[in-house]
Amino acid sequence: MVVIKKYANRRLYNTATSAYVTLDDLARMVREGVEFVVYDAKTHDDLTRQILTQIIFEEESRGEALLPVQFLRQLIGFYGNSMQGVLPSYLEMSLDTFTRQQEQLRGQFTRAFAAAPGGNLMEEAVRQNMAMFERAMRMFPGFAHARPEGEAAEAPAPAAEPKAAESAAGGAALDEMRRQMDEMRAQIDRLAQSKG
């Protein structure tokens, strides 16, 4: 528990960091979950409630309106009322319940989006890219059989028969490319067998 001392000149001193702090610093500590108490440096009175109320006032006055006007009116109406002793514990319990429900809802959204088809967009994109790559590689006869054993491979697309009108030079170039691809497939098979 961090101890904050308030001096007569209204300055607030953080004993944990040995530095003066502002209400904004204390508001940031609350948001970060840092527990602190504020004591009057001279009388040692606990001023935590007043300082927290002052932080709320500062937040509300700078346009960060969180508390509805009707709620504030009802809250003021409870001062001096017979229900004044019950209200603080009720409000604390209500906020605790609200916070727990908010965390549960956040967890449910996270699980729902992760489980939904396409919820993990990156994984889906990788899967589609790999499928497209495999289809492209099957277009080349040399790579159509290069899959490791045990994996199902679609039958390679039949190589187009050279047309009669195709020039001898074009046919020879295609044959040379097939031969090179077959050599590359053989090298890949040898590498795969040597690693296995």
Side-chain angles (χ1 to χ4, degrees), residues 119-188:
N120 192 338
L121 297 178
M122 185 63 98
E123 186 177 319
E124 183 65 25
V126 168
R127 194 173 15 256
Q128 288 177 0
N129 286 341
M130 285 304 292
M132 186 171 56
F133 178 73
E134 286 178 8
R135 284 192 302 272
M137 293 310 286
R138 280 194 297 271
M139 293 175 146
F140 298 100
F143 289 105
H145 304 289
R147 302 184 80 162
E149 288 184 24
E151 283 189 35
E154 291 179 21
E161 294 295 325
K163 295 181 182 176
E166 188 177 12
S167 68
L174 186 59
D175 288 341
E176 177 61 22
M177 192 179 340
R178 284 184 181 145
R179 186 189 63 74
Q180 289 176 0
M181 285 188 183
D182 286 338
E183 285 179 13
M184 287 174 26
R185 181 181 51 79
Q187 283 182 326
I188 290 172

Side-chain angles (χ1 to χ4, degrees), residues 20 32 34 58 60 109 159:
Y20 286 99
E32 292 170 357
V34 178
E58 292 290 325
E60 290 282 326
F109 273 125

